Amino acid sequence: METSDARFSFAKFAAHPFFREVNAWLVARAGIRPGADVVDLGCGPGAITELILQRMGVPPLGRVFAIDPSSSALMLAAQRIQSAIVRFVQGTAERLSSLVPQVDTVVFCNAIHLVPDKAQVIAAISNVLRPGGVLAFNTTFFEGAYAGDSLRFYKHWGLRAMRCLRERGHAVVRDAKTTAMQWLTPEEYRRLLADSGFAETEVEFQEKQLPCQAWEDISEFSMFIEGALPGIPLEIGMEALKVGARQTFEDLRLQAVPRIWMQVVARRG
Ligand SMILES: C[S@@+](CC[C@H](N)C(=O)[O-])C[C@H]1O[C@@H](n2cnc3c(N)ncnc32)[C@H](O)[C@@H]1O
């Protein structure tokens, strides 16, 4: 599968200061202590693994299981993080209980929207958490993620990207829906958590301003391209999205576009 190609990695987007800020905020609230057992679920190229490690003490104590289905993402993460307490494991959230022992904390950043059956995955996470354990997750793909009048930006971006594709002789299959498009409301997430035995759930919303470069960088990430332009080869989709983002910033005279992160911290009963 093309998604295993390191050229289409999440790493560039994850290097932006706003990204670090929003995720460091969440990781700080997960209550991670030195000596704990922690899962970094959907670790990708390792930006969150790094934030978790910073909470494990000096020298670090405990265990971090960094899990991702993508071999290329795991390779980038392993190059970036060399720590005796971090174990990289290839696998999915759906199979979590076969991959890790009981743990104190599961951190699941910027990935829950990608799983088709969110109820099953939240139940799988609950199963590996010790009583009182914490699940911290966030996403910018939920009902309410579009801040202010930013819908205008997305519509214009879509049109410009389509025009670029047409000029290169490609067409998007309009009804090819991907899982990245299945957005839940905050209430629906709350309900799924309660159904899986999470007793306390705190939800916060944080808005960040994303400059043009951030939209160009997310346009390099395979799963984003597949979600935005289903059926289009990654190289071509990436180019169309980047050109579209640049033109949209110019056409609408934008400096930045806001996006809202939903930050969730839930404690297992
Ligand atoms: C947008 S990246 C986020 C990476 C990292 N958590 C971060 O915030 O920097 C999403 C990651 O979720 C992974 N992913 C996709 N489906 C998954 C699943 N079913 N279980 C676990 N991880 C998954 C992808 O391979 C990708 O590395």
Side-chain angles (χ1 to χ4, degrees):
M1 187 158 89
E2 276 183 289
T3 44
S4 64
D5 190 326
R7 276 178 311 156
F8 302 106
S9 151
F10 188 64
K12 267 200 199 165
F13 184 76
H16 282 269
F18 66 79
F19 185 87
R20 189 189 158 81
E21 267 169 40
V22 80
N23 290 294
W25 185 95
L26 183 73
V27 171
R29 271 147 196 84
I32 297 166
R33 302 252 175 280
D37 291 328
V38 182
V39 170
D40 179 8
L41 192 52
C43 66
I48 309 300
T49 324
E50 222 165 62
L51 293 172
I52 292 170
L53 251 187
Q54 288 167 5
R55 308 217 143 244
M56 307 294 283
V58 184
L61 293 173
R63 288 185 292 182
V64 180
F65 301 93
I67 294 171
D68 203 283
S70 159
S71 54
S72 64
L74 286 173
M75 198 185 67
L76 290 173
Q79 278 166 5
R80 173 179 185 151
I81 294 156
Q82 274 123 35
S83 166
I85 73 158
V86 178
R87 191 176 312 160
F88 293 100
V89 183
Q90 188 166 14
T92 63
E94 289 80 351
R95 295 194 48 247
L96 191 57
S97 58
S98 67
L99 303 173
V100 298
Q102 292 270 290
V103 296
D104 304 295
T105 313
V106 174
V107 178
F108 194 19
C109 286
N110 305 294
I112 197 164
H113 50 274
L114 296 169
V115 305
D117 188 343
K118 293 167 183 64
Q120 188 215 329
V121 160
I122 289 173
I125 293 170
S126 181
N127 276 336
V128 303
L129 278 173
R130 298 185 175 121
V134 168
L135 163 63
F137 73 90
N138 62 10
T139 177
T140 55
F141 296 86
F142 66 99
E143 283 299 328
Y146 288 174
D149 69 347
S150 57
L151 190 57
R152 196 168 146 249
F153 163 74
Y154 297 106
K155 283 188 173 158
H156 201 90
W157 187 15
L159 291 173
R160 287 289 167 267
M162 293 294 189
R163 189 173 74 180
C164 178
L165 284 178
R166 268 198 312 277
E167 284 168 3
R168 288 159 171 75
H170 291 274
V172 174
V173 185
R174 272 262 155 237
D175 59 347
K177 275 262 172 213
T178 66
T179 53
M181 296 298 164
Q182 294 162 354
W183 297 12
L184 267 54
T185 65
E187 251 338 287
E188 285 170 329
Y189 275 112
R190 273 188 188 279
R191 225 169 298 134
L192 293 183
L193 288 161
D195 291 348
S196 281
F198 286 91
E200 301 160 29
T201 298
E202 284 173 34
V203 181
E204 283 235 7
F205 301 95
Q206 288 179 353
E207 186 175 314
K208 294 286 169 196
Q209 297 290 329
L210 277 59
C212 187
Q213 190 59 54
W215 300 102
E216 288 194 53
D217 291 344
I218 197 65
S219 302
E220 291 192 10
F221 178 45
S222 55
M223 297 188 100
F224 184 80
I225 304 167
E226 288 162 353
L229 301 175
I232 298 293
L234 292 180
E235 195 77 59
I236 291 155
M238 173 178 77
E239 188 54 26
L241 289 169
K242 283 184 170 193
V243 168
R246 282 198 294 272
Q247 287 178 350
T248 304
F249 265 72
E250 268 174 42
D251 292 349
L252 305 182
R253 297 176 192 285
L254 300 169
Q255 299 297 317
V257 174
R259 184 82 177 210
I260 299 174
W261 263 260
M262 179 177 68
Q263 309 260 43
V264 181
V265 178
R267 189 174 295 280
R268 189 179 177 279

